[in-house]
Amino acid sequence: PARPGLLAEEDRERLLSEYYYQYTECDSTGARWRVAIPRSPGSCSDLPPPTRGTDCSFSCPAGKFLEMSTQQCTPCAAGSYSLGSGLRFDQWDAIPAGFTSLASFLDTGPNGEDIQACKSSSWTPQGVYLESNRDECTVSLVYAVHLEKQGSVSFTYQYPDNNIFFEFYVQNEQCQEMAQTDDQKWIKVTNNGEWDTHTVSLKSGTNILYWRTTGILVGGKMVKPVLLKNIQIEGVAYTSECFPCRPGWFSPTPGSSSCQPCPSNTYSVKGASSCTPCPEHHYSHEGWPECKVRPPCSEKDYFQIHTACDSEGKTQVLYRWVEPKICVENITGAVELPATGQREPCPPCNPGYYNSNDSTCLPCPPGTHSDGTYACAQCPAGTEPVLGYEYKWWNVLPSNMKTSCFNVGNSKCDDKNGWEVAGDHIRSGAGSSDNDYLILSLHVPGFKVPASLSGMTGSEFGRITFVFETICSADCELYFMMDVNRKSTTVVESWEGSKGKQSYSHSMTRNASVTYTWAFQRTNHALDVRRFIADTVKIYSINLTNVIDGVASACRACALVPQNSQRAGSSCVPCPAGFYIDRDTNRCQECPPNTHLAGRQTYGQDACVACGPGSISNKEHSRCYSDCSFTHTLNNRTLTFDLSALSDVASLTIGPSFTSKGTKYLHLFNISLCGHGGKRAAVCTDNVTDVSNKDDQRDAAQFVNSVDSFICQSTIIPSDGRGFRMAISSQSISLADTFIGATVDTVLNGVNAEPDLFPENSQDVPDINFFYSSTQVTASCDLGRSSVITVRCNPEKSERGELSVPSSCPAGTCDGCTFHFLWESASACPRCTEDDYHRIEGACKGGVQETLYVWNEPKLCTKGVSLPPRSSSPCEAIALWLKVGVGGGAFVAVLLISLTCYFWKKNKRLEYKYSRLVMSANKECELPAADSCGLAEGEEPDDDVVYAQKPSLLGKLRAIANKEDGESSESVQLKSSQSDRWVLG
């Protein structure tokens, strides 16, 4: 009886090799049929008839598959696995079938054409994970799946850099976006190196899944990509076959839902149920599909460590093989492990610690101090300990520091030390592979400003300073990060490649618990062999001030209780805000007016630094600012400016500009020129994390993503170009956290206003230059950034005026460090005085004269005194010119009358003399001869009719005027003149 059954089994297998089973589409009742499909087209004979299939929502549990010939769930064989109703993607040697990487650029060209710059951008498979693009292109990873029932999608991701915009959304088959909450769409940022899982529910039917990334960093350094691994989808149709384990993995038992990686020094082929040990002198790492020959040992295969101090105060250098050890010692060309070094004296204790009897370093008790070489001593009266951490000797790792190691793609280095102490420095450890992250962290419970510094109300609560050096032959990178209140880790600064020994300092601007982290990665490329183990980072010292639980290496003078107080004594008291400690009395004294506490100490009056020109100090003497008033003396005239109309925060948007890929972006400047009681009122905020992180992290967001300053800048990517639902604001930086002063000079404290950058001022009113600086040092600005706002009087502008940047430097800066702005406004004109107008007197009409006052043209003043009102005064109707004319005419008339009288009298005398002459002549000769008695001998008379007419008055005047007074013969002259006069008359 067994024989026919065996034949039936063989026949069934033979027939199955000729055809396979498949279900039809589900009908409206949820039913379907199982039909046989021939493997070679055209051979339809001997096919089994269709039979009713399982229910459409039927699926097998994990570890089993649906055997189509029996329509029963059957366990997977060893060496394979099944998810039942799910799909899992965890192998990223290549992008799996069904996935598509679409690069797009939503900003079109000026003529509407597509920009081709993003054709090469895509998600890139990296073995155990998938890596997103790093540029500003928009790249979508798309996968379409049909669910027979409600299901879900979950994926493990790493999203360390919010300068990439990362969103996940689902569309239906009509390309309509499914309703999702913000928490489902916007992915949360993860801490550096940590993986998180995101899960979204899916509806039955077709679901198109999109993982979309867009770089939004403009003009900055390379961003960190998004990493994806372990995408799992639940709710798909039945699984009709099991998936074989990939090479290097195995599943030892039937019915497995997953495979396991082969241990080190073993390997496997595809679909293995067990792993095979490597041959002699071969090795493999976990999950390797093959073994490699062990190389001879070299200097790269070991590292050194320092032992802890023993009871005799000695330490020595030890050498250890890098684990797992893959090299061979006893072959030609191999090096041996160096011998243990000589025992040497331990380095001294760090400042604030003392050496105990068992050669261990213990912290000094509260109120005492030590430099690490002597016993702890009490602080003298009138002083207090300077609390903090100062680590410069590295014999053991301090108790508040931890070291660890992790790798993005595996867990091989999780139990290793990331850093090793080395006497005068601490250095990066070996790790397990070159792309490990080697972590060193320092936890600070909080900060406390000491009593001696309590008079300072600046924004600095503490400061961390460390000295480091990197020695690299590849693309190593050192990250310095901080985690505030255990909310989110933020990269403060990073250094790529080799860096010489240098110091870096960072200020803590608010009181909070914080963990500082140093992470070192030799290369970000996953390599099978160790190539860069010699690349290392060294930290020589770490100094942290004002720590709550700190220790003291020195004491600082503090203020004492006043003498008249009931608590008088030697105990320290905090000074009020804006007070310094007097050197002579050790009492609190308020800083003089218009000075501020600018340094990091308050001892002595010289701690109060005078404010710059045109500035005053705020009430707390913590900073200087402009109160919107300014005076300047020009040509013996004092100009007074009232700039209060410019006190409100002004915004200036510059752009658009375009990156090399074509991303459109704008620069937004917020400017607080003056006023606000010295508060830095210009605020710039990043909204990237606001969009992607909806947790209640207001504190962390305020600390990380918001900048308050006198001038701040944000980079804006408008929503119209990138398809975002809102404009993206990022890279907010402070350009001016300190006001230097305001002056008409072009240079102040080494900052140059460079007036040539703007059009020349054509007015008689000088420009006012407001100078600012920012102390935050950047890679390109060793002294920090500085800014100059040139305020110019322009009566044609409004009171609020208009801001602009130099046309030759459209981003507001020509060198990236000094920013220039021109603010033209009518409010920038000086206040009006009596010198700015003149008087005009009107004509006298009806006995009334009006007086007008008008402004000088062009009017270059505002507010101040107003024009006096029009006035009128009584006057005479005769005009002045008429008065002068009449007066002149009267004077001339009197003069003529006087002359007439004078000459008339003189003429009378002459006539009298003439008559006397005639009478005397008549006595001597006859009367008729008288006519010729005045003629010369032989001369003819000029006119026969001598008395033809009576001489006129004018003729007489002419005759008299032509008379010569010095003649001896008066009668002859008179005769001659009269004859001339008569002829002329």
Side-chain angles (χ1 to χ4, degrees), residues 366-399:
T368 63
H369 70 285
S370 169
D371 67 353
T373 60
Y374 58 81
C376 301
Q378 284 290 133
C379 283
T383 64
E384 64 176 348
V386 182
L387 297 180
Y389 300 144
E390 185 178 356
Y391 301 132
K392 60 181 182 180
W393 300 110
W394 303 92
N395 184 53
V396 294
L397 197 65
S399 59

Side-chain angles (χ1 to χ4, degrees), residues 373-543:
T373 60
Y374 58 81
C376 301
Q378 284 290 133
C379 283
T383 64
E384 64 176 348
V386 182
L387 297 180
Y389 300 144
E390 185 178 356
Y391 301 132
K392 60 181 182 180
W393 300 110
W394 303 92
N395 184 53
V396 294
L397 197 65
S399 59
N400 58 351
M401 297 186 73
K402 293 181 180 179
T403 179
S404 60
C405 172
F406 72 84
N407 192 291
V408 172
N410 57 61
S411 58
K412 292 183 291 187
C413 83
D414 289 359
D415 57 347
K416 299 182 183 299
N417 282 342
W419 294 64
E420 300 285 350
V421 293
D424 64 344
H425 65 274
I426 184 171
R427 60 190 298 160
S428 53
S432 64
S433 57
D434 285 348
N435 66 334
D436 292 340
Y437 283 99
L438 307 173
I439 304 298
L440 179 68
S441 60
L442 167 63
H443 180 67
V444 180
F447 298 88
K448 180 183 179 182
V449 178
S452 58
L453 299 181
S454 58
M456 303 179 66
T457 59
S459 57
E460 181 173 301
F461 284 85
R463 178 173 286 270
I464 184 171
T465 305
F466 59 92
V467 178
F468 72 97
E469 176 186 23
T470 58
I471 305 167
C472 297
S473 59
D475 57 337
C476 74
E477 189 158 10
L478 173 66
Y479 301 91
F480 174 58
M481 301 172 287
M482 58 190 298
D483 179 352
V484 181
N485 288 337
R486 302 185 184 276
K487 289 293 179 69
S488 64
T489 300
T490 305
V491 177
V492 179
E493 189 60 82
S494 64
W495 298 267
E496 297 180 17
S498 292
K499 297 293 180 186
K501 192 174 181 180
Q502 58 185 277
S503 174
Y504 179 78
S505 184
H506 183 75
S507 174
M508 186 66 181
T509 54
R510 115 193 135 106
N511 195 359
S513 168
V514 61
T515 298
Y516 295 105
T517 301
W518 294 264
F520 180 69
Q521 188 182 37
R522 292 182 170 93
T523 176
N524 60 10
H525 301 292
L527 302 172
D528 290 340
V529 294
R530 302 298 302 272
R531 296 180 182 172
F532 309 117
I533 194 169
D535 292 3
T536 185
V537 58
K538 299 178 181 180
I539 293 182
Y540 294 93
S541 65
I542 300 175
N543 195 343

Side-chain angles (χ1 to χ4, degrees), residues 58-68 70-78 80-87 234 236-243 251 253-258:
F58 175 83
S59 61
C60 292
K64 294 185 177 183
F65 71 101
L66 185 63
E67 172 59 64
M68 291 296 288
T70 62
Q71 298 196 73
Q72 299 291 324
C73 291
T74 306
C76 289
S80 63
Y81 72 97
S82 165
L83 298 175
S85 63
L87 295 173
E234 295 289 344
V236 297
Y238 62 94
T239 300
S240 60
E241 61 181 345
C242 295
F243 301 99
S251 65
T253 58
S256 296
S257 60
S258 63

Side-chain angles (χ1 to χ4, degrees), residues 731-782:
Q731 294 175 280
S732 296
I733 56 173
S734 168
L735 304 180
D737 50 30
T738 302
F739 179 56
I740 303 175
T743 174
V744 297
D745 298 332
T746 57
V747 179
L748 183 63
N749 283 18
V751 182
N752 193 332
E754 298 188 39
D756 296 339
L757 292 175
F758 295 106
E760 186 178 356
N761 184 5
S762 59
Q763 312 290 359
D764 292 334
V765 179
D767 292 339
I768 309 171
N769 296 310
F770 283 71
F771 293 86
Y772 301 87
S773 68
S774 173
T775 55
Q776 189 64 41
V777 176
T778 66
S780 57
C781 307
D782 295 337

Side-chain angles (χ1 to χ4, degrees), residues 38-282:
R39 296 187 184 276
S40 57
S43 58
C44 294
S45 59
D46 298 329
L47 292 180
T51 58
R52 184 171 290 278
T54 58
D55 188 77
C56 282
S57 60
F58 175 83
S59 61
C60 292
K64 294 185 177 183
F65 71 101
L66 185 63
E67 172 59 64
M68 291 296 288
S69 59
T70 62
Q71 298 196 73
Q72 299 291 324
C73 291
T74 306
C76 289
S80 63
Y81 72 97
S82 165
L83 298 175
S85 63
L87 295 173
R88 181 190 295 142
F89 302 96
D90 56 4
Q91 302 177 35
W92 303 103
D93 300 311
I95 293 184
F99 281 89
T100 306
S101 184
L102 298 177
S104 62
F105 198 87
L106 301 182
D107 280 339
T108 55
N111 300 319
E113 72 275 10
D114 289 335
I115 296 178
Q116 304 296 314
C118 293
K119 293 299 182 185
S120 60
S121 298
S122 68
W123 286 79
T124 309
Q126 299 284 5
V128 293
Y129 57 83
L130 193 62
E131 183 179 285
S132 77
N133 60 312
R134 297 168 182 251
D135 52 33
E136 61 265 28
C137 296
T138 298
V139 182
S140 298
L141 182 70
V142 186
Y143 184 74
V145 62
H146 185 82
L147 299 190
E148 297 295 345
K149 56 184 178 181
Q150 283 193 344
S152 64
V153 57
S154 65
F155 54 91
T156 306
Y157 70 94
Q158 196 177 105
Y159 179 25
D161 192 341
N162 61 20
N163 284 312
I164 282 187
F165 206 74
F166 183 31
E167 54 184 327
F168 173 75
Y169 60 96
V170 182
Q171 289 183 349
N172 60 20
E173 53 194 352
Q174 280 83 37
C175 294
Q176 295 171 332
E177 192 168 326
M178 312 285 257
Q180 286 179 270
T181 63
D182 284 340
D183 289 339
Q184 292 174 322
K185 183 168 184 177
W186 311 113
I187 309 299
K188 294 179 186 177
V189 174
T190 60
N191 290 342
N192 197 55
E194 293 185 5
W195 293 92
D196 206 348
T197 301
H198 188 77
T199 303
V200 174
S201 298
L202 301 177
K203 295 180 179 180
S204 60
T206 299
N207 291 267
I208 306 173
L209 314 179
Y210 289 85
W211 292 264
R212 187 164 77 171
T213 57
T214 305
I216 57 173
L217 187 65
V218 177
K221 68 185 192 71
M222 190 75 74
V223 299
K224 291 187 176 182
V226 176
L227 308 181
L228 279 181
K229 71 175 183 180
N230 289 349
I231 299 176
Q232 187 157 327
I233 303 171
E234 295 289 344
V236 297
Y238 62 94
T239 300
S240 60
E241 61 181 345
C242 295
F243 301 99
C245 294
R246 69 175 187 243
W249 292 62
F250 74 105
S251 65
T253 58
S256 296
S257 60
S258 63
C259 299
Q260 307 167 32
C262 286
S264 297
N265 297 322
T266 65
Y267 73 100
S268 71
V269 296
K270 184 176 181 180
S273 59
S274 63
C275 299
T276 306
C278 289
E280 188 179 5
H281 300 310
H282 287 66

Side-chain angles (χ1 to χ4, degrees), residues 594-642:
N594 296 332
T595 63
H596 67 297
L597 291 167
R600 297 197 179 97
Q601 53 91 20
T602 60
Y603 192 63
Q605 186 171 347
D606 53 357
C608 304
V609 181
C611 292
S615 65
I616 62 174
S617 65
N618 58 1
K619 290 191 301 183
E620 297 83 11
H621 295 278
S622 63
R623 70 173 62 102
C624 300
Y625 72 102
S626 168
D627 61 354
C628 300
S629 64
F630 183 79
T631 57
H632 174 63
T633 302
L634 180 68
N635 299 331
N636 295 326
R637 178 188 170 196
T638 300
L639 303 178
T640 303
F641 298 83
D642 179 11

